[in-house]
Amino acid sequence: MAEAEDSPGKGYMWNLDRIDQPFGEEADRVHNLHTAKKLSTTTTLRLAFLSLGVVYGDLGTSPLYVFSNIFPDGIKDRNDLLGTLSLIIYTITLIALVKYVFFALRANDNGEGGTFALYSLICRHAKVNTIPNQHHTDRALTTYSFRPMSKKSTAYKLKNALETSLFLQKILLVLVLLGTSMVIGDGMLSPSISVLSAVQGIRLSHLELPKGCVLILSLLILVALFSMQRFGTAKVGFMFAPIIFIWFISIGTIGIYNIFVHYPPVFKALSPVYIFRYFRAQGVTAWISLGGVVLSVTGAEALFADLGHFTAQSIQLAFTIIVFPCLIAAYMGQAAYLMKYPRDVDEPFYNSIPNRPFIYWPMFVVATAAAIIASQATISATFSIVKQAVALGCFPRVKIVHTSHRFLGQVYVPEVNWTLMVACLLITAGFRETQQIGNAYGVAVVLVMVVTTFLLAMVMILIWHSNLYLAFSFLAVFGSLELLYFSSVLFKVTSGGWVPLAIGSVLMAVMYFWHYGSCERHKFELQNKVSLGWILQLGPSLGMVRLPGIGLFYTELAHGVPSIFSHFLTHFPAVHSILTFVCVKYLPVSTVAKEERFLLRRIGPKQFRMYRCVVRYGYKDLHKKDDHFDELLIRALAAFIRYESLMESVDEQSEETVTSNGSLESCGAAPPLQAQVDGHTITGSEICLTASSVSSIQRQTPRSLREEEDECAFLIKCKEDGIVHIMGSTVMRARQGSGFFKRQAINSGYSFLRKLCRDTSVIYHVPHESLLHVGMVYNI
């Protein structure tokens, strides 16, 4: 019904020519790494080495503070060290190695990982997206992978349950928002604990140095770290991998040295028997210590979230060959040292460095650099997930800057950056010790893991079509293990664990109010959209004076004409000669290729000169200032006119999508075309024109060619006359008689957030001299 209101004609998906953007070739190369069947050994090894600097910084710096958080009151029994060491070894093995490295990396969305990647996979296979702006042509995208399912399968039953239950959809959305808020919380806590843990080692060399100096130095490093974010990680990214590589080799070597010098029998901890002995001996104390043990896998989520820059094979190779053995050696070495010197548990890493006077300063420098890199990776991940949340309508509009010409996923969000900096400074200055920050950090880490486990179980059933018992077994094993850790970190709520819960509550309220308001706004526009019959009654002039130029009327509707357009016609006595309704929408895919970005359709008869252009992005894509959006859209219109004329020349009445390739410059002077492609005639089921087949299309009829040339010439003239961007400036109010929650959510929460967030014109980089706002009140 919605499609019929646009036009009785056809819809066209325009195949855009490749534009020579600075990042284009490299971005395509990285994307092709995920689609290639087999990579060379050299390429895989190079990517594995580079992944050290991006993926493993947070996980690699955890030996700085794990044992001090497990034993905040000191070691009372040396035998407890073997039990906690065994817990650390099996936690890293089960969660980091098994769950993430060899399982979660398979659940990627065309090479993209993380919470939103899992959510996008679920949204593509079940209609759980609460903003219904999807279209059947979206499935034709090359990145829109979709696996059909049998009606008798468990996957189909789960799909029906999700689509028919609004309650389950909201539960799923709340889980995703919870995971997102905890990742942002990680961005506040990880820099604090990593930098403070590294800098505290300076007091061992200068014992007379007061703690206040350590705090000031940590705060200065944090300020410098966040101040450099605007330059982007690409500026210093080439230094990350070598530093982290040196860090892992150093902690692994020191660990091996401590094992054989201080306590060689530490290998006994490889037996899980010592875990049972530890719990039997310490009871509740052992359970409480799990909150410190879980810090050994901080950063494990980055294995999955940062998959987009590398391949699963390279990340798996780096972890199994370098990261895993070095981490195990580091923890075993610290445990061996503490077996001999249990009083040094406050700073086990720096105390366990052999011949400290000779190698202390090099290790201090490397540790500080590794902590900064670990913080950088967490902050970058926060920027990325905020970008994805904005794309899916779950976060207020913020300024997003693309910082890398090589990698499309590297972005910078100024508002989020300075908010993170203030939060990090307050947390560091407020707690001053790594123990309380570690308590808070553990809560955020475990909650993200629990959400990921639940979403992975859904992916197993819905997308992989795995056996129901296998999915439940996965959920039972890892879910129960992570909930056990979560119960332990919750015990420390009063000792710092309340911080991520408070941060998460505020962020979830912000995201939920924004998402709720966006859904209500979209619902209102759907219910009040203008019918095609009303437009046809206005005539070709729309009952107004047609001004020279092109008017781009932005709307959130992918189908139909928005009600604000009739409001505009009522109060403004003229419209432009060519009027195009532009809908920028984000799909549950990682990226949309440029040649598939524009979807065009005519509204009304030709003499109306009205079009609809749906511009499609993925959650990793970015509407950038240097994209030449106006020029690309005009080229899309020219290509649309050209191939619409081609289809009419063969009297084609099919509603299928036509993929075309053309440019504005070649439109007016193009040779006549005829409906014959690659040697055979186009039929109703064969009207997909690709770039390779365009050159073989023969001449059109003279009449259709003249119409095409006239319309293209008119388009060029209107472009020279100027382009005006028309955007709605709406105010939302809850309708009288609405419930208490709706009034507070719309009138207070959503309205307040809209005043704080960036205007749509800023997000789309619309120049002020060509911008026209249309005000309207939505009584929802």
Side-chain angles (χ1 to χ4, degrees):
M1 184 66 181
E3 297 175 36
E5 291 186 1
D6 278 349
S7 172
K10 308 172 186 65
Y12 294 78
M13 183 172 64
W14 181 56
N15 193 344
L16 179 65
D17 280 329
R18 173 182 288 272
I19 305 298
D20 294 330
Q21 296 292 341
F23 61 87
E25 294 182 1
E26 183 65 21
D28 289 342
R29 184 188 66 79
V30 174
H31 176 71
N32 290 336
L33 293 177
H34 303 290
T35 57
K37 292 183 179 180
K38 187 177 181 180
L39 294 175
S40 64
T41 304
T42 304
T43 303
T44 303
L45 290 174
R46 183 176 63 85
L47 289 174
F49 179 75
L50 293 176
S51 69
L52 292 174
V54 177
V55 175
Y56 296 109
D58 198 7
L59 187 64
T61 54
S62 56
L64 288 170
Y65 47 79
V66 168
F67 274 111
S68 60
N69 278 273
I70 294 177
F71 300 104
D73 301 323
I75 300 173
K76 299 178 182 179
D77 188 349
R78 286 182 172 85
N79 292 326
D80 294 345
L81 281 167
L82 295 177
T84 55
L85 176 60
S86 186
L87 279 171
I88 292 172
I89 292 173
Y90 283 99
T91 299
I92 296 175
T93 302
L94 289 176
I95 295 180
L97 182 64
V98 177
K99 175 187 170 181
Y100 282 100
V101 174
F102 289 113
F103 194 91
L105 290 181
R106 292 180 54 207
N108 62 82
D109 181 19
N110 290 310
E112 296 294 338
T115 304
F116 272 97
L118 297 176
Y119 185 61
S120 69
L121 284 172
I122 296 172
C123 287
R124 288 210 300 273
H125 290 77
K127 296 179 181 179
V128 296
N129 195 349
T130 50
I131 300 180
N133 61 354
Q134 297 177 357
H135 191 262
H136 66 86
T137 56
D138 297 337
R139 291 193 177 185
L141 298 173
T142 54
T143 55
Y144 202 100
S145 57
F146 181 83
R147 293 185 62 181
M149 58 188 71
S150 171
K151 292 185 178 181
K152 297 182 180 180
S153 63
T154 306
Y156 187 79
K157 295 178 182 178
L158 177 60
K159 174 178 178 293
N160 280 344
L162 289 172
E163 292 178 348
T164 56
S165 175
L166 184 60
F167 174 77
L168 292 179
Q169 294 177 18
K170 289 185 177 181
I171 291 294
L172 180 62
L173 177 63
V174 168
L175 281 175
V176 174
L177 296 183
L178 175 63
T180 303
S181 62
M182 289 299 105
V183 171
I184 299 175
D186 285 350
M188 299 178 183
L189 295 167
S190 178
S192 298
I193 190 172
S194 298
V195 173
L196 190 59
S197 298
V199 176
Q200 277 182 347
I202 199 173
R203 296 185 67 246
L204 297 181
S205 180
H206 299 76
L207 296 178
E208 71 282 0
L209 196 67
K211 290 184 178 181
C213 293
V214 175
L215 176 62
I216 293 174
L217 181 58
S218 300
L219 295 177
L220 291 176
I221 292 176
L222 288 173
V223 171
L225 173 64
F226 283 99
S227 298
M228 293 188 300
Q229 293 303 312
R230 62 190 181 93
F231 299 108
T233 57
K235 304 294 183 182
V236 292
F238 68 95
M239 298 173 53
F240 287 2
I243 293 175
I244 297 297
F245 177 76
I246 293 173
W247 168 255
F248 276 116
I249 297 301
S250 299
I251 62 174
T253 303
I254 293 173
I256 294 173
Y257 172 85
N258 287 325
I259 290 172
F260 290 100
V261 171
H262 298 296
Y263 191 71
V266 75
F267 287 100
K268 295 187 295 184
L270 294 175
S271 172
V273 174
Y274 288 90
I275 297 177
F276 297 103
R277 292 181 180 178
Y278 175 55
F279 274 91
R280 185 176 59 185
Q282 298 299 334
V284 176
T285 304
W287 168 69
I288 296 174
S289 69
L290 291 177
V293 173
V294 77
L295 296 179
S296 62
V297 288
T298 57
E301 186 72 20
L303 295 173
F304 188 30
D306 292 329
L307 177 60
H309 296 306
F310 307 98
T311 62
Q313 294 81 4
S314 62
I315 293 178
Q316 291 170 344
L317 188 65
F319 187 88
T320 53
I321 294 180
I322 298 177
V323 178
F324 184 72
C326 289
L327 280 178
I328 298 301
Y331 285 116
M332 293 181 73
Q334 288 187 25
Y337 175 83
L338 292 174
M339 289 290 288
K340 192 172 183 179
Y341 305 101
R343 294 183 179 180
D344 291 343
V345 71
D346 290 339
E347 289 292 341
F349 173 74
Y350 286 106
N351 283 316
S352 64
I353 295 177
N355 298 321
R356 189 165 13 105
F358 301 99
I359 63 173
Y360 167 77
W361 286 112
M363 285 306 303
F364 174 78
V365 172
V366 173
T368 304
I372 293 174
I373 292 172
S375 304
Q376 175 65 60
T378 307
I379 295 169
S380 300
T382 304
F383 292 158
S384 297
I385 201 165
V386 167
K387 159 70 182 74
Q388 297 170 17
V390 171
L392 293 180
C394 297
F395 200 87
R397 295 185 300 268
V398 290
K399 182 180 180 181
I400 300 173
V401 181
H402 189 259
T403 60
S404 174
H405 293 307
R406 299 185 61 195
F407 298 106
L408 189 61
Q410 292 186 3
V411 295
Y412 167 65
V413 186
E415 294 93 333
V416 175
N417 179 67
W418 302 122
T419 303
L420 289 178
M421 187 190 75
V422 173
C424 280
L425 295 178
L426 292 176
I427 290 171
T428 306
F431 288 129
R432 301 192 176 195
E433 297 290 342
T434 59
Q435 282 80 10
Q436 288 187 319
I437 301 177
N439 295 338
Y441 197 21
V443 174
V445 168
V446 177
L447 275 176
V448 175
M449 290 182 178
V450 171
V451 172
T452 302
T453 298
F454 181 81
L455 294 178
L456 280 173
M458 292 190 64
V459 169
M460 290 179 65
I461 300 174
L462 199 61
I463 291 91
W464 293 355
H465 301 170
S466 300
N467 186 281
L468 185 62
Y469 297 104
L470 179 62
F472 273 110
S473 299
F474 172 84
L475 185 62
V477 172
F478 290 100
S480 58
L481 179 63
E482 290 161 356
L483 287 177
L484 178 62
Y485 285 121
F486 184 61
S487 66
S488 175
V489 295
L490 280 183
F491 183 79
K492 301 179 180 180
V493 167
T494 56
S495 301
W498 60 270
V499 173
L501 297 179
I503 294 172
S505 299
V506 173
L507 290 172
M508 282 195 67
V510 168
M511 289 188 289
Y512 189 82
F513 282 148
W514 183 263
H515 186 267
Y516 177 78
S518 300
C519 291
E520 290 296 316
R521 176 176 177 170
H522 190 271
K523 187 187 301 182
F524 177 86
E525 292 186 349
L526 278 178
Q527 295 173 350
N528 295 274
K529 62 184 178 181
V530 179
S531 65
L532 180 62
W534 180 82
I535 294 179
L536 293 175
Q537 290 177 358
L538 299 177
S541 66
L542 300 180
M544 300 284 176
V545 177
R546 301 300 290 263
L547 298 175
I550 300 175
L552 302 182
F553 203 105
Y554 287 80
T555 173
E556 296 184 4
L557 290 181
H559 312 289
V561 178
S563 58
I564 198 171
F565 177 65
S566 61
H567 181 74
F568 171 75
L569 293 183
T570 304
H571 294 83
F572 200 77
V575 292
H576 295 84
S577 299
I578 295 179
L579 189 63
T580 302
F581 293 94
V582 180
C583 173
V584 179
K585 72 173 185 177
Y586 287 86
L587 300 175
V589 296
S590 58
T591 183
V592 176
K594 288 185 179 180
E595 59 269 19
E596 300 175 323
R597 184 148 291 167
F598 295 91
L599 182 66
L600 285 139
R601 183 180 292 272
R602 189 183 292 276
I603 298 179
K606 277 189 175 183
Q607 58 268 29
F608 279 47
R609 301 192 188 279
M610 295 177 62
Y611 307 91
R612 169 176 310 287
C613 179
V614 179
V615 189
R616 301 175 294 185
Y617 289 94
Y619 56 79
K620 296 284 285 186
D621 292 327
L622 186 63
H623 189 118
K624 298 185 298 301
K625 189 174 183 179
D626 57 354
D627 265 343
H628 308 288
F629 180 78
D630 294 355
E631 181 65 25
L632 297 183
L633 196 149
I634 301 304
R635 290 177 58 187
L637 281 175
F640 171 80
I641 293 169
R642 182 179 183 182
Y643 289 98
E644 185 187 43
S645 177
L646 168 65
M647 292 299 101
E648 290 178 354
S649 67
V650 294
D651 196 26
E652 179 56 61
Q653 298 299 322
S654 173
E655 290 294 332
E656 296 290 334
T657 298
V658 176
T659 306
S660 59
N661 190 310
S663 64
L664 179 60
E665 292 77 7
S666 63
C667 179
L673 303 175
Q674 189 177 356
Q676 190 172 4
V677 180
D678 293 336
H680 49 279
T681 305
I682 301 175
T683 64
S685 59
E686 295 178 299
I687 58 172
C688 182
L689 305 180
T690 61
S692 61
S693 61
V694 169
S695 60
S696 63
I697 303 177
Q698 299 178 358
R699 296 183 176 270
Q700 282 177 297
T701 61
R703 178 182 177 184
S704 61
L705 175 61
R706 285 195 301 270
E707 292 178 353
E708 172 198 325
E709 290 179 342
D710 291 343
E711 195 163 2
C712 284
F714 185 75
L715 175 63
I716 296 173
K717 181 180 181 302
C718 290
K719 177 181 179 295
E720 294 172 351
D721 291 334
I723 301 175
V724 176
H725 301 260
I726 307 170
M727 292 186 171
S729 181
T730 58
V731 176
M732 291 179 56
R733 296 175 182 170
R735 190 178 302 163
Q736 291 185 355
S738 301
F740 175 79
F741 173 79
K742 186 174 183 178
R743 292 198 308 272
Q744 295 301 317
I746 299 298
N747 297 342
S748 300
Y750 183 74
S751 298
F752 176 73
L753 292 175
R754 286 202 68 185
K755 292 178 183 178
L756 294 179
C757 72
R758 297 267 180 167
D759 190 74
T760 309
S761 60
V762 178
I763 302 299
Y764 295 155
H765 305 287
V766 177
H768 292 288
E769 59 272 14
S770 61
L771 175 63
L772 177 63
H773 277 295
V774 181
M776 186 175 178
V777 177
Y778 285 0
N779 291 309
I780 299 178

